[in-house]
Amino acid sequence: MTVGRRVRRIRTERGISQEALAGAVGVHRTYLGGVERGERNLTLRSVERLADRLGVPVRELIGDGPEG
Amino acid sequence: MTVGRRVRRIRTERGISQEALAGAVGVHRTYLGGVERGERNLTLRSVERLADRLGVPVRELIGDGPEG
């Protein structure tokens, strides 16, 4: 599962809207949509901010294998 | 420990020179030096290439906590 799909899964499990999560990490909602579709090559700092806001360790967002 | 320090530790454990690793992942040696000093905000694809070349899972390079 890509980082983006994990972000979407955890975000929806926690009932956080795309708008709210995007705002919390300082990106536009459409950018986050691209992240969740696996269209963005995130930096580690972005992943850290997302993990922090979702309340999960970075490792929970990072899998092994090529990012889809 | 930051991603950069883990890259350095694993690289030196495996006796791989900075030059060789940089070449294998398609970056300049000085760029890799900056990575190992924690001065670079790596993208996930760069981390994947490094992990792949070092023969470790991505998770072994990614810790939890802010990247120093």
Side-chain angles (χ1 to χ4, degrees):
Chain A
M1 183 183 285
T2 65
V3 172
R5 268 183 236 133
R6 286 194 184 92
V7 168
R8 173 168 291 173
R9 178 177 53 80
I10 298 167
R11 175 177 65 74
T12 49
E13 278 170 7
R14 283 167 167 61
I16 302 171
S17 71
Q18 218 175 43
E19 194 93 33
L21 181 58
V25 297
V27 299
H28 194 274
R29 190 189 57 72
T30 53
Y31 179 89
L32 183 61
V35 167
E36 293 188 349
R37 288 188 302 273
E39 295 163 3
R40 300 279 173 185
N41 183 16
L42 286 169
T43 66
L44 287 183
R45 279 192 202 118
S46 300
V47 175
E48 275 164 22
R49 279 203 313 263
L50 286 166
D52 186 54
R53 180 59 191 77
L54 292 169
V56 295
V58 167
R59 288 189 168 202
E60 199 164 318
L61 293 184
I62 304 278
D64 273 291
E67 290 310 309
Chain B
M1 184 184 283
T2 66
V3 173
R5 267 183 237 132
R6 286 194 184 93
V7 168
R8 173 167 290 172
R9 177 176 53 80
I10 297 167
R11 175 177 65 73
T12 49
E13 278 170 7
R14 283 166 166 62
I16 302 171
S17 72
Q18 218 176 41
E19 195 92 37
L21 181 58
V25 297
V27 298
H28 193 273
R29 189 190 56 71
T30 53
Y31 179 89
L32 182 62
V35 167
E36 292 188 349
R37 288 189 302 274
E39 295 163 2
R40 300 278 171 186
N41 184 14
L42 285 168
T43 66
L44 285 183
R45 279 193 200 119
S46 300
V47 175
E48 275 164 21
R49 280 204 313 265
L50 286 165
D52 187 53
R53 181 59 190 78
L54 291 169
V56 295
V58 168
R59 287 188 171 202
E60 196 164 317
L61 293 184
I62 305 279
D64 272 291
E67 290 309 309

